[in-house]
Amino acid sequence: MAHDHESMLSRSEAVREVLDILDRALSNRETRELSVGDGVAERFLAESITAPRDVPSHDHATMDGFAVDATESYPLAVSEGEIFPEDEPPSLAAGEAIRIATGAPLPERANAVLKIEEASVEAGELGGSSLEPGTYTYERGSNVSAGEVLFRSGERMSAKDLILLRDLGIERVTVYGPFSAGLLATGSEIHEEKTADLDSPMLAALVRSWGHRATIEGTVPDEYEETRDRIAQLADEHDVVITTGGTSVGKKDYVIRALEALGEVEFHRVRIRPGKPIAVARLPDHDAVAFAIPGKPVGAHTIATLVMRSFFVGETEPISTVEASLTSDVGIGTSGFEYAVPVTLDEGNAVPLGHVDSPLEVYDETFDPSVLSSSTRATRADGIVLTESDLSAEESVRVIPYSVLE
């Protein structure tokens, strides 16, 4: 496999590849029917959902007042009674009005609400300000029209989506089950417990936060056959294998070679720093997908949240950001890469964590992703700034909070 600069994918290209792999993975998965209140959030839909009816099913009042036909002239005869939200609206004769509460359905002839503050009633007759049809009403079908496709197969549900489902009267939906991920740390120094495995607990927590299952499955030394066989074993036990370390092209970096032997590597290396040496593979003989994540912990977190995350949550663009003013100049090294610069946020300012002017002194003016990728102190950042060019002090930047990515 070529590893030249031109062969590397951009972040957006890598995400599209991962989403394509997700589509293929979902197409082979079993489905289950769940009630809306029983774990539907964070699941991928296995079928599209079409609105079974108009919402709202009647025009509704959005103010306390009188339901009227705005095309008629005052005075209007006030009908006895009042309409409340739980009522079926009564019929309304020509020239009549009726009291109505906020949220109550309008009678068929009514098309506006005269709010109580603008109304006057004398001797059973209503007077008030002139109205246009639709004033203070929530029109039938203005929220959802019957037959409208609201959710598509493969879409990941969120907690807020349950509001609309319940409003439509949909109580059960068909979804795909969560993915099972097995995490394997590679490297003799970790296997022999000379170095702590910093990546597996973090990656497992990310997978779980994205709504899936994760199991830390131990370590393997820097030996090709053992690495290959352990990945194969985990691919038989899990939907996804996530390895850490061994993704570069060094003498003892065996993970990519193992994945090539077990399946098809879709891409290796993305134009992101830190985190560049990620690889993604399909393992069709095992009905599994593999993500090979570089071993440096900050780089591992960066590439996992910017690229691997899309497999577990679906479409991830656009990513929400907050605006802040950068406190220091930050230069980039090699052009042609997207740099993820960790920053802390302080009263509208973004402080590059790792800059000599920050509590973590890693670089002076030129961002150093290699050293920063290994700095556990860098995890105290509040988010990252993505850039492909030099940044200047007092420049307005868009910060992606870690809370968005995690």
Side-chain angles (χ1 to χ4, degrees):
M1 175 178 289
H3 298 294
D4 57 281
H5 180 90
E6 291 74 18
S7 70
M8 282 186 260
L9 300 183
S10 67
R11 175 169 56 92
S12 60
E13 290 170 335
V15 167
R16 284 197 296 271
E17 289 275 357
V18 171
L19 290 173
D20 183 61
I21 293 170
L22 169 62
D23 286 342
R24 283 182 277 181
L26 289 177
S27 68
N28 296 322
R29 289 186 69 74
E30 293 183 355
T31 62
R32 63 184 70 175
E33 187 179 74
L34 295 177
S35 69
V36 168
D38 187 23
V40 168
E42 299 182 338
R43 298 287 175 260
F44 291 105
L45 281 176
E47 59 186 13
S48 298
I49 297 177
T50 300
R53 55 182 172 81
D54 290 340
V55 177
S57 55
H58 292 90
D59 292 351
H60 284 71
T62 61
M63 285 282 183
D64 292 338
F66 293 85
V68 302
D69 179 352
T71 64
E72 294 181 330
S73 300
Y74 299 114
L76 299 172
V78 178
S79 178
E80 292 185 1
E82 183 173 357
I83 310 172
F84 293 97
E86 65 272 19
D87 296 334
E88 284 293 324
S91 60
L92 195 66
E96 283 189 336
I98 188 170
R99 289 182 182 274
I100 193 167
T102 299
L106 269 69
E108 187 172 338
R109 287 185 57 87
N111 57 23
V113 172
L114 174 66
K115 66 179 181 178
I116 197 73
E117 296 87 345
E118 297 177 359
S120 62
V121 178
E122 293 184 9
E125 292 188 330
L126 176 69
S129 57
S130 61
L131 302 174
E132 293 291 329
T135 301
Y136 299 125
T137 66
Y138 182 22
E139 297 181 4
R140 173 178 178 170
S142 59
N143 186 33
V144 173
S145 298
E148 186 178 355
V149 178
L150 298 174
F151 301 94
R152 299 194 177 277
S153 179
E155 184 175 345
R156 184 175 185 257
M157 303 299 287
S158 68
K160 64 181 173 54
D161 292 327
L162 308 187
I163 298 172
L164 181 54
L165 290 177
R166 292 301 299 272
D167 198 27
L168 291 167
I170 295 173
E171 297 295 338
R172 300 188 69 82
V173 295
T174 302
V175 297
Y176 296 105
F179 288 115
S180 166
L183 290 99
L184 177 68
T186 74
S188 296
E189 73 283 5
I190 293 175
H191 186 68
E192 296 171 7
E193 299 184 348
K194 295 178 180 178
T195 301
D197 175 10
L198 302 180
D199 297 329
S200 295
M202 174 270 294
L203 292 169
L206 284 177
V207 170
R208 291 167 188 150
S209 75
W210 297 329
H212 301 269
R213 299 191 300 269
T215 304
I216 296 174
E217 295 284 9
T219 66
V220 289
D222 290 317
E223 296 178 6
Y224 168 68
E225 290 186 356
E226 189 167 348
T227 299
R228 180 200 60 200
D229 293 347
R230 186 65 174 134
I231 292 173
Q233 180 184 6
L234 294 180
D236 288 331
E237 299 173 1
H238 296 281
D239 305 306
V240 184
V241 179
I242 302 173
T243 65
T244 56
T247 63
S248 294
V249 291
K251 183 178 180 180
K252 293 187 176 182
D253 290 325
Y254 293 122
V255 172
I256 306 304
R257 180 180 163 192
L259 293 178
E260 289 174 333
L262 294 170
E264 180 178 350
V265 175
E266 297 292 335
F267 63 83
H268 177 206
R269 304 203 305 174
V270 176
R271 292 198 295 272
I272 299 175
R273 288 181 170 173
K276 174 183 67 175
I278 184 177
V280 180
R282 290 187 302 110
L283 311 178
D285 291 345
H286 304 270
D287 193 23
V289 173
F291 288 89
I293 304 296
K296 294 181 179 180
V298 175
H301 183 275
T302 299
I303 204 67
T305 54
L306 290 178
V307 176
M308 185 178 75
R309 174 175 176 261
S310 56
F311 181 86
F312 292 100
V313 305
E315 185 60 62
T316 59
E317 298 289 351
I319 300 175
S320 300
T321 60
V322 296
E323 188 172 0
S325 177
L326 198 68
T327 59
S328 304
D329 292 339
V330 177
I332 65 168
T334 307
S335 62
F337 286 86
E338 188 173 33
Y339 290 83
V341 181
V343 298
T344 57
L345 293 172
D346 180 20
E347 297 183 349
N349 293 318
V351 180
L353 187 58
H355 192 279
V356 292
D357 293 334
S358 78
L360 175 64
E361 299 182 11
V362 172
Y363 61 92
D364 187 356
E365 291 185 1
T366 302
F367 180 61
D368 189 338
S370 179
V371 174
L372 198 71
S373 187
S374 299
S375 171
T376 55
R377 175 68 179 270
T379 61
R380 298 305 299 157
D382 296 312
I384 56 175
V385 174
L386 296 177
T387 184
E388 297 181 26
S389 58
D390 294 343
L391 299 172
S392 301
E394 300 184 2
E395 178 179 346
S396 178
V397 293
R398 307 299 305 187
V399 180
I400 305 174
Y402 280 134
S403 58
V404 171
L405 296 172
E406 295 188 353

